Amino acid sequence: MMTSGIKASSTSQHLIAAARELSAQVSRLKFKPPVTHVYNPLDYAWSAHEEYLRRFGKERKHAIFLGMNPGPFGMSQTGVPFGEIAAVRDWMEIRATVGKPSSEHPKRLVQGFDCPRSEVSGRRLWGLFAERFGTAEDFFEKHFVANYCPLAFLSASGSNLTPDKLSATERERLFAICDAHLRRTLEILEPEWLIGVGDFTTKRGRMVVGQMKIKVGQILHPSPASPAANRGWAETVARQLQEFGIPL
């Protein structure tokens, strides 16, 4: 593990400060079509995100699970990575007021904890952790979940656009900020493992880790768009993590 000199009692404070800086930096970026709307839940859902960091980022971690960016019915609604509403509200017991993005797409309304839709990826991910660990406190004692990019991108039709689909210039500016924030998160939490949830975040994670003494692994993304994820995702991921020596 790395030695950053940050005491465990202050880790959440450092995470909160880093997240505030990240939000300010990405808010200054501009994006061209096909992107028509950009949601920054670190802004309008800050209260929930801050509570997530304050409660569950209090100590060094054994493994950090890294997602790509907010989903329309997950973090875009709750401010928590993979933020399936039931998991955030009932399992993590986070209940906070969620505002609105500066420009809201009529087909992708932000309803906060009143959103009736379910984030399948989040339901699968947090459902697995809840099943294996029982309480959120037991999971977060040694583990953490973060997103590489804090922004959600929508097209004119309301469809979700992932960061890798942005133009080269937009990606370069955004990824430089996100890389720096991920590096800072790793310095604060000092994990032994960084686990990419899917191929994109694994590649970005390896680039950021560089010469840090952190091992990088990859698990199957829980998205229902993946045929493999629809065939025993939880069992596959449990087996993958077991191979890394990260038993659930």
Side-chain angles (χ1 to χ4, degrees):
M1 288 199 178
M2 298 179 298
T3 303
S4 68
I6 295 174
K7 296 180 180 179
S9 60
S10 65
T11 55
S12 61
Q13 296 174 1
H14 286 277
L15 289 176
I16 289 168
R20 287 187 184 277
E21 182 178 355
L22 172 65
S23 178
Q25 290 178 331
V26 297
S27 291
R28 292 192 285 267
L29 298 176
K30 303 297 181 184
F31 301 92
K32 297 179 180 180
V35 176
T36 60
H37 294 73
V38 180
Y39 288 7
N40 179 7
L42 298 192
D43 177 22
Y44 62 83
W46 173 252
S47 293
H49 188 74
E50 182 180 26
E51 184 175 349
Y52 174 73
L53 298 179
R54 190 179 304 281
R55 287 183 53 200
F56 300 124
K58 293 184 293 187
E59 55 262 315
R60 294 167 58 183
K61 306 298 181 183
H62 178 65
I64 295 177
F65 295 85
L66 186 65
M68 180 185 285
N69 73 313
F73 310 114
M75 187 173 179
S76 290
Q77 303 292 336
T78 65
V80 173
F82 289 94
E84 159 74 358
I85 290 167
V88 176
R89 181 192 60 217
D90 303 331
W91 191 57
M92 300 179 207
E93 297 185 339
I94 293 176
R95 299 174 179 87
T97 300
V98 175
K100 293 279 190 178
S102 56
S103 178
E104 189 175 28
H105 196 291
K107 293 184 179 179
R108 288 292 180 263
L109 299 179
V110 172
Q111 299 170 284
F113 288 85
D114 293 326
C115 179
R117 298 286 296 271
S118 174
E119 178 83 2
V120 176
S121 294
R123 188 171 73 239
R124 288 174 172 172
L125 186 80
W126 293 118
L128 172 61
F129 296 152
E131 177 187 347
R132 298 302 180 102
F133 287 88
T135 68
E137 286 73 18
D138 283 346
F139 169 75
F140 285 108
E141 181 180 357
K142 293 184 179 180
H143 306 85
F144 194 69
V145 178
N147 267 343
Y148 173 73
C149 171
L151 301 179
F153 304 96
L154 301 174
S155 70
S157 68
S159 62
N160 187 55
L161 299 170
T162 52
D164 56 317
K165 300 299 191 295
L166 300 172
S167 71
T169 301
E170 291 171 342
R171 287 199 309 269
E172 183 178 352
R173 289 195 293 257
L174 176 65
F175 288 7
I177 295 171
C178 295
D179 285 351
H181 179 261
L182 175 58
R183 188 174 297 107
R184 182 61 180 142
T185 299
L186 297 176
E187 291 170 351
I188 294 168
L189 292 177
E190 303 182 293
E192 181 177 340
W193 280 94
L194 177 63
I195 303 296
V197 183
D199 186 60
F200 171 84
T201 53
T202 305
K203 290 179 179 178
R204 298 309 306 179
R206 285 201 174 99
M207 292 177 62
V208 170
V209 164
Q211 299 303 311
M212 291 179 173
K213 295 180 180 179
I214 299 174
K215 292 175 280 190
V216 180
Q218 178 177 337
I219 60 172
L220 178 65
H221 197 287
S223 171
S226 166
N230 295 325
R231 298 191 298 269
W233 176 85
E235 293 76 13
T236 297
V237 169
R239 184 172 62 252
Q240 290 174 323
L241 292 174
Q242 183 71 42
E243 292 172 357
F244 297 145
I246 307 175
L248 296 183

